[in-house]
Amino acid sequence: SFLCLDRHYFQDNNQGQKQYKILDGTKYICDYAFHLNNNSFLGREYASNYCPFVLIELPSSVMAIGDFSFSGCSHLAKITLPPKLTYIGKNPFTGTGNLNTIESMSPYFVIDLDCLIAKKTGTLIHCFRHIKQDSEETATFTIPSNVTIIGDYSFADKNGPHSASSAYVRRVIIPKTVTHIGKGGFEKNSFLEE
């Protein structure tokens, strides 16, 4: 099971944007930890609105990220996966429409063509492909050939049609290497045509 975040603080950075730093020693980020309907630990100001953080700093001690942990953090722009990270649950980044950078320091996860992939299994965990609404020529996305499994909810938008990281992707080309598509792989992705 995952420990909920009981050791944390947040602060304004120098541009007035919110930053959240999880303290060293935290090993597990629980399921739905930052989900917009589960932010009561942030105080009444944020509990009923949204996850306000642009940057969430994970310490090197984090070994596991639970299901949908950052779901609904629509302002989150960047996250770095720490070196000890060995487990990521069901797409923890659904509804993170501004997330344009995921860096992996973990030997267990790789970033390939804007996709977060588990190396050992070839599971696509999250696609953070950003396409402008008026960009028809780039509205097709080809899943990398090292993907064998499209993970649960990897292209899903669990928080409304305009918060998907893969918003405006109209066509997805699935390579022959893919042998399984997980539950809800493309759920509620209103822009997807084929």
Side-chain angles (χ1 to χ4, degrees):
S1 73
F2 295 101
L3 299 175
C4 288
L5 300 174
D6 59 351
R7 296 181 294 163
H8 61 275
Y9 70 90
F10 64 95
Q11 61 188 18
D12 283 327
N13 68 17
N14 59 5
Q15 296 155 340
Q17 298 170 327
K18 299 293 182 188
Q19 176 178 321
Y20 187 92
K21 183 174 182 179
I22 299 169
L23 295 181
D24 289 333
T26 301
K27 293 183 180 180
Y28 308 102
I29 309 299
C30 66
D31 295 352
Y32 298 96
F34 289 87
H35 188 269
L36 65 100
N37 292 323
N38 193 37
N39 304 4
S40 58
F41 71 89
L42 298 176
R44 194 163 47 207
E45 176 184 355
Y46 301 118
S48 61
N49 295 326
Y50 61 96
C51 175
F53 305 116
V54 174
L55 174 67
I56 297 175
E57 291 183 43
L58 302 178
S60 62
S61 57
V62 171
M63 299 178 352
I65 296 174
D67 298 347
F68 310 113
S69 294
F70 305 100
S71 179
C73 289
S74 61
H75 297 283
L76 184 62
K78 177 182 176 181
I79 197 160
T80 300
L81 304 177
K84 292 181 182 176
L85 185 68
T86 59
Y87 174 82
I88 297 178
K90 293 174 185 159
N91 189 351
F93 304 109
T94 59
T96 54
N98 286 316
L99 182 62
N100 56 30
T101 304
I102 298 177
E103 295 176 351
S104 179
M105 306 302 288
S106 171
Y108 295 95
F109 302 96
V110 64
I111 307 302
D112 189 2
L113 298 176
D114 296 334
C115 292
L116 172 59
I117 303 167
K119 279 187 183 179
K120 187 175 181 179
T121 63
T123 302
L124 190 154
I125 297 167
H126 178 71
C127 171
F128 55 101
R129 174 68 178 246
H130 291 273
I131 294 175
K132 294 180 181 174
Q133 186 171 7
D134 58 355
S135 181
E136 284 294 326
E137 64 191 49
T138 59
T140 298
F141 179 70
T142 302
I143 293 174
S145 61
N146 58 340
V147 171
T148 57
I149 298 169
I150 296 174
D152 293 350
Y153 308 102
S154 40
F155 284 87
D157 177 11
K158 294 180 72 63
N159 295 298
H162 298 290
S163 59
S165 296
S166 52
Y168 305 115
V169 172
R170 290 194 169 79
R171 289 171 292 285
V172 175
I173 298 173
I174 301 172
K176 293 179 181 178
T177 56
V178 172
T179 59
H180 179 75
I181 298 175
K183 179 180 178 184
F186 298 94
E187 182 178 286
K188 295 184 182 178
N189 193 316
S190 62
F191 294 101
L192 196 61
E193 296 170 357
E194 60 182 286

